[in-house]
Amino acid sequence: MIERARRRVGYAAGCVLCAAAAWAPAWSFPAEGTIKASGYAPALVEGGVPYPTDAAETSYERVTLDGEWFFAPDPEDRGVRDGWYAPGRGFEGWRRQDVPGTWNAAFEDLFRYEGAGWYAREFETPSGLEGKWARLAVRGAFLESRVWFNGREAGSHSGGYTPAYYEIGGWVPGGMNRVVLRVDNRITEATVPSATTSHGGDHGWYPWGGLHRGVYVEIVPEVYIFKADIRTEPEVEGGAARVSAYLGVQNRGERDAECELSGEITAAAGRTAAVFPAYGFVAPGGGKLVFLELDAALEEARLWEAGGSGRLYTLRLWLSSCGAESRAAYTFGIREFEIRGEEIYLNGRRHFLRGMNRHEDAPVTGQTQTLERMEGDVALLKELGVNHVRPGHYPCDARFLDLLDAAGITVVEEIPAYQTPGALMSDPRVAEKAERQLIEMIERDRNHPSVIGWSLANEVHTFEPAARGFIEGLHETAKRWDPGRFTTTEIAVMPYGAPDHVSDVVDVVSLNEYFGWYYGTIDALGGFLDRYHRRFAGKPFIISEFGAGTVLGRHVEKVKREPHTDHSYSEEFQEEFYRRQFGIILGKPYVAGTMPWVFADFHMEWTPTTGSPHPAKWMNLKGLVTLEREKKKAFYAVKEIYGGLKERYEGGGT
């Protein structure tokens, strides 16, 4: 059963951008925290390597493998059979490609290529690191990947957007090492995302193949911290806060190790808010895991605020007496998130989601995002008045979450379970891969204060009975691994009604509706929403997608009702569409947030049939800005509407 009463959530944050606004309270002496043993789990172990929480910084030596790699497409899928991973094999005929990057964006002749692609890179063993344990981190490889290190297979991974980690050995003393990856971007009935039925297997966003995020080798001590689950519980009115952290430690040595752990919490400008005196414990050998719990009561806490400057803290940890000292630091924010009936609250104040959907897509680089592109997008989102983002249908680049943490913009992250039919939701292979990607997303991003919820799927066939078991399993997994955040799943609205087997399972109802674009009329929207609300009253309702396509510079003198298969794609129609949609949606008191689809135009695998013909092949043109980030008329309309919403909820501060 779902608890529909008031749910109080204090949670934590993680980021690399730790710059927070300075403040000058009457600073008290640091609180003294405690460390003790804990039975807390869970932990995800893949190939003997515990899945790590992203850290802001560590003392581990790192060898970046970003840069130029050898690349070869393998349309006949003969690379494994012919031993392309062998240490002595040459690279004659292979191309050169920058990593991170995708082959579809890098090579014009491979733009539509789906299949296997091989990457190879050699690097010299850093001096003094021979024989030390290391892990290879592949931050994003779409979609299925296998890895060889010096000719030995290190492992495989399924999932294109969460990192994969591999234990690698066999360092060549003073010599060259070779990393080879086989990456396959084909979406099938056994992958997540899965093959869809609505467009003949073509997908709703582009399957950019390759290593689209960074790759590196990290030299890790035998005893090290792999997990930090930081939770906060503030007194919103009183200014105090309790900070707890559940830590996972692994000892990869053969023998037990006597260790000491100490730490501190620092705030802006490096001020120490709490200290943790050294705590002794035994880390059992043989790769076993041990868990510890830290706890501190801060007398003065500055809250992470939406729309604010993203006030962040840092938990710094020192692990010693284990053969070698190591350090790790995790950033977090102190905030209280609540669901009160049909409304969402942040730090005791109403938080109406002035949201926006955003895909990762860019000219020249496709899926790969530069820091400059992400910073520019955040600036445009802030200009729009956005205080909440849904970053596509998959875990986004972690650096984008860092920027949202710093900007004070909340997020619901999603796994790429997309338009999955009932037969595949009943397939144990698909269910297992969806669950694993959900856990990996939570473990990577659990400490970001911007993340307030997890989306379990988008537009899967929730009208089929199989959807219930699929979503129930993911909901239970999310609550086990992260009980402090809400769950949701986006429902593809059927305008004349359809069974919905999942909205009573999740915490928040999210509806993707396209009245007036794909079906029906905008005037029919209000009655439909009221009928849907009567079925699932008592929960927040988010209109998670609605939108219309347009081509920048295309105009009509007079806006009129357009056939669903022959839209004008004019800027005037898109602007009028949003004004009328918002006029109806914002009149519903049970609506807790709105999320236009979509921030920017993006590539997709099928060509829409909403124009005669569609203005741009393989493009979704519903963006408020173009792929190049040029503003359309609807950008200014949404900016005006969100400005009014901000004023309406100004008493709530967000």
Side-chain angles (χ1 to χ4, degrees):
M1 298 291 292
I2 293 180
E3 177 58 54
R4 294 190 182 181
R6 173 171 169 171
R7 293 184 288 278
R8 221 178 129 185
V9 179
Y11 223 81
C15 77
V16 175
L17 301 178
C18 303
W23 66 86
W27 201 262
S28 61
F29 290 104
E32 184 168 304
T34 60
I35 306 176
K36 63 180 181 180
S38 172
Y40 176 83
L44 176 64
V45 180
E46 297 179 327
V49 181
Y51 205 84
T53 308
D54 271 3
E57 60 183 74
T58 70
S59 59
Y60 315 152
E61 296 187 63
R62 182 176 292 185
V63 181
T64 180
L65 299 184
D66 290 353
E68 190 176 75
W69 287 56
F70 290 101
F71 168 77
D74 187 11
E76 298 176 1
D77 211 1
R78 58 188 178 89
V80 175
R81 182 184 68 245
D82 292 351
W84 289 10
Y85 52 83
R89 188 177 182 89
F91 301 116
E92 294 80 9
W94 288 45
R95 312 183 190 199
R96 302 295 183 97
Q97 185 190 329
D98 285 339
V99 171
T102 72
W103 65 65
N104 307 92
F107 304 107
E108 185 175 351
D109 63 314
L110 297 181
F111 177 69
R112 295 285 290 172
Y113 175 65
E114 293 180 40
W118 287 74
Y119 290 84
R121 168 77 185 259
E122 292 184 331
F123 67 98
E124 190 171 359
T125 303
S127 176
L129 299 181
E130 299 88 345
K132 291 191 176 182
W133 179 61
R135 65 185 177 199
L136 173 71
V138 181
R139 297 290 292 182
F142 190 89
L143 169 59
E144 306 267 306
S145 54
R146 293 174 66 181
V147 176
W148 289 264
F149 182 71
N150 291 337
R152 177 181 63 85
E153 187 164 4
S156 60
H157 185 256
S158 180
Y161 304 103
T162 46
Y165 299 90
Y166 305 92
E167 180 179 0
I168 56 175
W171 293 88
V172 179
M176 299 299 293
N177 299 277
R178 178 177 292 198
V179 177
V180 179
L181 291 96
R182 177 192 181 274
V183 183
D184 194 329
N185 71 330
R186 285 173 286 194
I187 297 172
T188 72
E189 291 186 347
T191 61
V192 175
S194 307
T196 61
T197 57
S198 55
H199 296 283
D202 289 336
H203 217 59
W205 70 94
Y206 213 70
W208 301 101
L211 304 176
H212 60 95
R213 295 176 187 160
V215 181
Y216 59 85
V217 172
E218 195 166 43
I219 317 304
V220 182
E222 280 192 348
V223 184
Y224 69 103
I225 299 166
F226 68 87
K227 176 170 183 169
D229 177 359
I230 308 171
R231 308 185 183 194
T232 69
E233 187 175 349
E235 295 178 8
V236 173
E237 300 300 328
R242 180 166 295 279
V243 178
S244 301
Y246 299 92
L247 307 180
V249 176
Q250 184 185 38
N251 178 4
R252 299 199 55 81
E254 295 181 359
R255 300 180 180 180
D256 295 354
E258 294 185 1
C259 303
E260 284 189 346
L261 178 72
S262 58
E264 67 178 12
I265 295 174
T266 58
R271 293 188 177 95
T272 302
V275 295
F276 298 92
Y279 173 78
F281 67 99
V282 174
K288 294 183 176 66
L289 310 181
V290 62
F291 292 92
L292 305 170
E293 181 179 348
L294 282 67
D295 187 77
L298 279 58
E299 292 184 7
E300 297 169 344
R302 290 289 177 149
L303 300 182
W304 185 90
E305 298 277 6
S309 57
R311 294 163 175 161
L312 301 172
Y313 288 78
T314 303
L315 172 63
R316 303 184 184 278
L317 301 169
W318 293 269
L319 192 58
S320 59
S321 303
C322 301
E325 181 176 307
S326 63
R327 304 184 306 278
Y330 303 87
T331 51
F332 67 96
I334 298 173
R335 62 160 175 76
E336 180 184 71
F337 180 80
E338 302 169 276
I339 291 176
R340 302 181 189 175
E342 297 180 341
E343 297 179 340
I344 293 172
Y345 283 77
L346 185 65
N347 298 333
R349 293 176 291 185
R350 178 82 182 275
H351 182 56
F352 187 92
L353 304 183
R354 304 190 304 274
M356 188 61 61
N357 292 281
R358 174 188 178 270
H359 262 301
E360 291 185 337
D361 197 352
V364 182
T365 60
Q367 182 82 50
T368 298
Q369 301 287 287
T370 65
L371 184 59
E372 292 74 20
R373 163 49 58 93
M374 292 186 288
E375 289 174 336
D377 283 0
V378 170
L380 286 170
L381 291 168
K382 291 176 70 174
E383 182 183 345
L384 269 169
V386 166
N387 68 357
H388 180 79
V389 169
R390 176 180 170 224
H393 303 315
Y394 41 79
C396 62
D397 190 310
R399 297 172 300 163
F400 188 63
L401 295 180
D402 298 337
L403 295 172
L404 298 182
D405 287 341
I409 296 175
T410 59
V411 183
V412 169
E413 271 203 291
E414 186 167 295
I415 61 170
Y418 169 80
Q419 293 189 2
T420 313
L424 297 187
M425 285 188 281
S426 300
D427 187 329
R429 298 173 301 172
V430 172
E432 188 276 333
K433 288 176 181 177
E435 180 183 45
R436 186 162 292 251
Q437 290 186 38
L438 175 62
I439 294 170
E440 291 176 353
M441 178 175 69
I442 292 173
E443 289 292 74
R444 188 194 75 167
D445 297 332
R446 62 166 59 257
N447 291 327
H448 286 278
S450 55
V451 178
I452 60 175
W454 307 114
S455 173
L456 310 177
N458 176 68
E459 295 184 355
V460 297
H461 290 193
T462 54
F463 50 87
E464 296 189 64
R468 187 169 187 86
F470 183 75
I471 295 299
E472 279 183 336
L474 293 173
H475 171 80
E476 291 168 3
T477 296
K479 292 300 183 181
R480 180 180 177 224
W481 289 79
D482 183 15
R485 290 183 172 94
F486 71 73
T487 63
T488 190
T489 185
E490 280 72 20
I491 307 297
V493 162
M494 303 296 177
Y496 305 110
D500 178 347
H501 296 287
V502 305
S503 285
D504 63 325
V505 174
V506 294
D507 301 320
V508 173
V509 177
S510 295
L511 301 179
N512 295 352
E513 60 84 7
Y514 288 93
F515 281 88
W517 183 254
Y518 289 127
Y519 48 72
T521 66
I522 295 177
D523 292 336
L525 172 61
F528 174 85
L529 292 178
D530 289 339
R531 291 191 298 274
Y532 216 96
H533 175 252
R534 285 194 290 270
R535 296 169 61 188
F536 301 105
K539 298 182 180 185
F541 268 58
I542 296 173
I543 311 305
S544 44
E545 288 186 24
F546 61 107
T550 190
V551 174
L552 182 70
R554 181 174 290 190
H555 300 286
V556 295
E557 292 184 4
K558 184 178 181 181
V559 176
K560 57 184 179 180
R561 182 177 174 183
E562 300 179 350
H564 302 143
T565 58
D566 191 19
H567 285 295
S568 67
Y569 279 80
S570 69
E571 292 196 61
E572 288 76 16
F573 182 88
Q574 187 188 41
E575 178 185 18
E576 180 67 14
F577 178 94
Y578 274 121
R579 291 192 183 279
R580 292 185 61 197
Q581 281 259 350
F582 271 110
I584 294 170
I585 293 169
L586 297 179
K588 306 299 180 183
Y590 49 80
V591 171
T594 55
M595 304 194 67
W597 184 269
V598 61
F599 169 65
D601 296 344
F602 63 94
H603 291 88
M604 56 195 301
E605 204 176 4
W606 52 275
T607 300
T609 57
T610 46
S612 297
H614 183 70
K617 198 173 185 181
W618 302 318
M619 287 293 297
N620 188 308
L621 300 172
K622 295 189 185 74
L624 298 181
V625 299
T626 67
L627 183 66
E628 294 77 17
R629 276 35 179 188
E630 299 169 286
K631 298 172 185 175
K632 305 176 185 179
K633 290 185 71 173
F635 179 96
Y636 300 100
V638 173
K639 177 180 178 180
E640 176 189 328
I641 292 165
Y642 274 179
L645 277 175
K646 183 176 182 180
E647 201 163 308
R648 179 195 300 186
Y649 293 103
E650 189 172 2
T654 60

